[in-house]
Amino acid sequence: MPAPSEFLKYIDGNADAFIKRLAEAVSIPSISGDARHRKDVFAMADWLNAQLKSVGVETQLVDLGRHTMDGEDLPLPPAILGRLGNDSSKKTVLIYGHFDVQPALKSDGWDTEPFTLTINEQTGQLIGRGSSDDKGPILGWLNVLQYHHENKLPLPVNLKFCFEGMEESGSEGLDDLVRRESQKGGYFDGVDCVCISDNYWLNTRTPALTYGLRGLSYYKVTVSGPARDLHSGVFGRTVHEPMTDLVHLLNTLVTPTGDILIKGVDEMVPPADEEEKKIYEKLDYSISDIEQSAGASIALSDDKVNVLMGRMRQPSLSIHGIEGAFSAPGAKTVIPAKVSGKFSIRLVPPQTPDNIDPLVIDHLKKAFAELGSKNTLTVENLHGGKPWVADHRHWNFEAAKKATKAVYGQDPDLTREGGSIPVTLTFAESLGVNVLLLPMGRGDDGAHSTNEKLDRSNFIEGSKLLGTYLYELADIQK
Amino acid sequence: MPAPSEFLKYIDGNADAFIKRLAEAVSIPSISGDARHRKDVFAMADWLNAQLKSVGVETQLVDLGRHTMDGEDLPLPPAILGRLGNDSSKKTVLIYGHFDVQPALKSDGWDTEPFTLTINEQTGQLIGRGSSDDKGPILGWLNVLQYHHENKLPLPVNLKFCFEGMEESGSEGLDDLVRRESQKGGYFDGVDCVCISDNYWLNTRTPALTYGLRGLSYYKVTVSGPARDLHSGVFGRTVHEPMTDLVHLLNTLVTPTGDILIKGVDEMVPPADEEEKKIYEKLDYSISDIEQSAGASIALSDDKVNVLMGRMRQPSLSIHGIEGAFSAPGAKTVIPAKVSGKFSIRLVPPQTPDNIDPLVIDHLKKAFAELGSKNTLTVENLHGGKPWVADHRHWNFEAAKKATKAVYGQDPDLTREGGSIPVTLTFAESLGVNVLLLPMGRGDDGAHSTNEKLDRSNFIEGSKLLGTYLYELADIQK
């Protein structure tokens, strides 16, 4: 059953209003990883809740309790549960999204204010933190619902919603909720499949469906020594400097070409056979796509399959930065007293935070012991999530393939993605149903980066895609 | 000629007012290394200029032009030149100090607001940025002058003053001024000796005179690649990551025990013979003094002479931090696009920035080439200064020794210091006269660190010492 043509026209006809609503959403700096912005995550929950109600969704805010972040006791932002439709003859689809965002400061290198949605009329880009990750996709669903609500039309399927505000900080509190509500009699009981729109096309031209995600294990390794920061003139070459120790530790983690040096991590993943390599050869993706998306010719290899496997079916280790050292412009001659290196490992099956943690901790302890330093080492796992792979021949994926063909006129790429949405696995495991990742944005959207954007056409055609997917779902043989 | 006992009483009697004036000086955040605070450095120059005039000093503000800092074109703060007394039968002493300070934020780990002078009545500590480095000592001179001005007493020597506002950022603009004014007919023509109070006792109990300083060469090594920050899920193990490259470069600089790995740097310094080692054995200083001052048992060695030589007569390399990487609390899964490591080398004779620069740049270029990275490397020397050693048997030092004995009742330690005051060498070379470093603060003052302080007794007895030194100078045989 194709989507009604009136629906497609409605989306086109209301595009400007939809973009205005996206600007409202972006203007709320709902940064979950920064305690100072916790109130904004709450404000964002209230805003989204009101929007959902206005298009007929029956909602509830679920208190997820409190947690400790950087030594501060904080209330967790609520999850928003919602439902619309309860026709036992229809399939029931659970939709997930997150309304929190990554940190962003103009001084990080943004060309525009990160929390002011800026429309570039020439390129059609809608620029702002959260535009693509993940406020744009959530608002895509609102657009679909608004059409049906205004026209008093029933949806072709029953919908349930689960929106959270801690995705960028390890989805704290959500796993318990999902597991609880997935049990018999729970809020999610009776769900037939799940759809998550929180990732990206592989390139900038071919829609994609995603059936795999890497997991994540995020570490904070701290070296502390002096009771306070020291003057490098007075103390240089008299004491063990924490920053020197930390640099030596970080140096033992990964090679400049991406090989992970922590014993056992790379080795845990079986190599791809020739058949698996063919999957990567087929993808509409090239080294130049990656380099265009990164903005520089810095791919680790000239071999497309190697580079794509590096992203999709191999673990990776990135060093994100150092907390506690001198980080401002200019020159400060300080010996920092306590420095924390932040790095994370993206995981692929059979890796999990549980089987990777001991390898990382053991490695760092041994490497630190070898330094012969009198400073003190601590290692923390800040958050993590397991990797996930789904069956891309399931009817949930088939409906999305038809919808993609209908809206975009082409078959989607079938991809595994390098990023992590840990809750994907929680849904799959708790509900025992198929989970589809149906991305709205393009590969160059710059999620987690400066100048994050969503193309206007992806927002508008993407809204059509989400609606069309629901109509295709209604029709398809379970 | 000892100082008049009325002078000593006056200093004691006005101690509270002197501390109040220090609080005023500390409240101006005259951070020279941060463009946003440049206006405060100008405000501090105006404040000090007014203070000098109020105690009878004839002053002038010298425009030092403009400079570029982190890509921004900025006016340099003025130098303040001053003079008091012009009696050809008296010696003429040039006094130097700086009214700019290091950066400081409460969030760096200060227990109190860094720009609010906080008096700990129990310990007698005056806590605040610049209290010891270098506003306290400058105000010590003001205290001496105020006594003579209020009592209409001539000073025992002629004074000339040179105060600058860029010391913490390489004393930009000052060298040219000092060289120009040291010529015949210049402002400093006729100066017999120089006194600089901008360093610290070796310990917390023994006054010191300092006859040597290490030089400095400060580097910014930048690795850039992507056009913008990238998501580590999307790009991890597909591109060369600048942060990985930078960590590998920083790892090649120095060992955890302080040995400099840049070829030729350590090797340039001749080893100490047994006689020289005896100088260090005699100093009133122990490993536990260093560790108490650092607040932790982290000395590089259990051998006092080794540790003291590491500070005084060996170069040191400290890694201060990284600009452009993730530095906030929390977890951000970013691949930073452009990261700059900041490190500096403290120099000892015969090292100079000129002969060290090529070694550092060559080393980094070679090390980067070995990484096989497609990213881009740049190396900048942000600022530097040569090391300096003076004759500690000169009459300028003898007068200071007598003054120390008179005020503190003990002989001073004769030290070489690990820090850098590049202008010391400029004065010595330009004027061809002896330069004395006469410290006011203690070894645990925490200059450049969090919770910088000056002990009340050091401020008050130190003011007496500065005045007494002038009286001893007047008397001593040239």
Side-chain angles (χ1 to χ4, degrees), chain A residues 214 227-229 232-233 237-238 241 248 251 254 266 293-294 299-300 315 318 320 330 333-334 342 346 374 448-449, chain B residues 214 227-229 232-233 237-238 241 248 251 254 266 293-294 299-300 315 318 320 330 334 342 346 374 448-449:
Chain A
R214 291 197 286 193
R228 66 197 76 85
D229 287 357
S232 70
R237 209 158 188 165
T238 69
E241 302 191 11
H248 279 264
N251 188 66
V254 61
D266 271 351
S293 179
L300 284 175
S318 296
H320 308 297
T333 51
V334 66
K342 311 275 182 76
R346 300 281 170 175
K374 293 180 184 167
H448 294 216
S449 168
Chain B
R214 291 197 286 193
R228 67 198 75 85
D229 287 357
S232 69
R237 210 159 187 164
T238 70
E241 302 190 11
H248 280 264
N251 188 66
V254 61
D266 271 352
S293 180
L300 284 175
S318 295
H320 308 297
V334 66
K342 312 276 181 77
R346 300 281 169 174
K374 293 179 186 169
H448 294 215
S449 170

Side-chain angles (χ1 to χ4, degrees), chain A residues 33 70 102-103 108 168 214 216 218 225-241 243-245 247-248 250-251 254-260 266 290 293-300 302 307 310-311 314-323 325-336 342 344 346 371 374-375 382-383 418-419 447-450, chain B residues 33 70 102-103 108 168 214 216 218 225-241 243-245 247-248 250-251 254-260 266 290 293-300 302 307 310-311 314-323 325-336 342 344 346 371 374-375 382-383 418-419 447-450:
Chain A
D70 290 309
Q102 283 278 315
D108 292 342
E168 303 294 2
R214 291 197 286 193
L216 176 74
Y218 199 111
R228 66 197 76 85
D229 287 357
L230 303 176
H231 186 302
S232 70
V234 181
F235 287 94
R237 209 158 188 165
T238 69
V239 297
H240 289 279
E241 302 191 11
M243 188 68 180
T244 302
D245 291 349
V247 162
H248 279 264
L250 296 178
N251 188 66
V254 61
T255 69
T257 48
D259 294 329
I260 298 175
D266 271 351
I290 288 217
S293 179
S297 298
I298 53 172
L300 284 175
D302 296 332
V307 172
R311 166 169 169 173
Q314 280 189 285
S316 64
L317 191 154
S318 296
I319 304 169
H320 308 297
I322 295 173
E323 181 183 343
F326 174 55
S327 60
K332 186 175 176 183
T333 51
V334 66
I335 297 174
K342 311 275 182 76
S344 66
R346 300 281 170 175
L371 299 183
K374 293 180 184 167
N375 290 320
L382 294 190
H383 65 83
H448 294 216
S449 168
T450 50
Chain B
D70 290 310
Q102 283 278 316
D108 293 341
E168 302 294 2
R214 291 197 286 193
L216 176 73
Y218 199 112
R228 67 198 75 85
D229 287 357
L230 303 177
H231 185 303
S232 69
V234 182
F235 287 95
R237 210 159 187 164
T238 70
V239 297
H240 289 279
E241 302 190 11
M243 189 67 181
T244 302
D245 291 349
V247 162
H248 280 264
L250 296 178
N251 188 66
V254 61
T255 70
T257 49
D259 293 328
I260 297 175
D266 271 352
I290 288 218
S293 180
S297 298
I298 53 171
L300 284 175
D302 297 331
V307 172
R311 167 170 167 172
Q314 280 190 283
S316 65
L317 191 153
S318 295
I319 303 169
H320 308 297
I322 294 173
E323 180 182 342
F326 175 55
S327 61
K332 186 175 176 184
T333 51
V334 66
I335 297 174
K342 312 276 181 77
S344 65
R346 300 281 169 174
L371 300 182
K374 293 179 186 169
N375 290 319
L382 294 189
H383 65 84
H448 294 215
S449 170
T450 50

Side-chain angles (χ1 to χ4, degrees), chain B residues 5 45 49 73 85-86 104 135 137 192 200 292 294 329 334 341 349 384 389 395 413:
Chain B
S5 61
N49 186 41
D73 177 60
N86 189 21
K135 292 177 176 177
D192 293 298
Y200 314 93
Q292 192 183 332
V334 66
V389 176
W395 52 262
D413 271 337

Side-chain angles (χ1 to χ4, degrees), chain A residues 66-118:
Chain A
R66 303 181 70 86
H67 75 139
T68 303
M69 194 170 69
D70 290 309
E72 199 174 340
D73 177 60
L74 293 168
L76 285 164
I80 303 176
L81 299 184
R83 56 183 142 203
L84 185 57
N86 189 21
D87 181 339
S88 61
S89 71
K90 294 177 179 174
K91 295 187 184 75
T92 299
V93 186
L94 173 61
I95 288 163
Y96 163 89
H98 67 89
F99 53 85
D100 62 320
V101 296
Q102 283 278 315
L105 293 171
K106 181 115 193 315
S107 59
D108 292 342
W110 284 70
D111 296 329
T112 59
E113 286 299 331
F115 294 102
T116 302
L117 190 76
T118 304

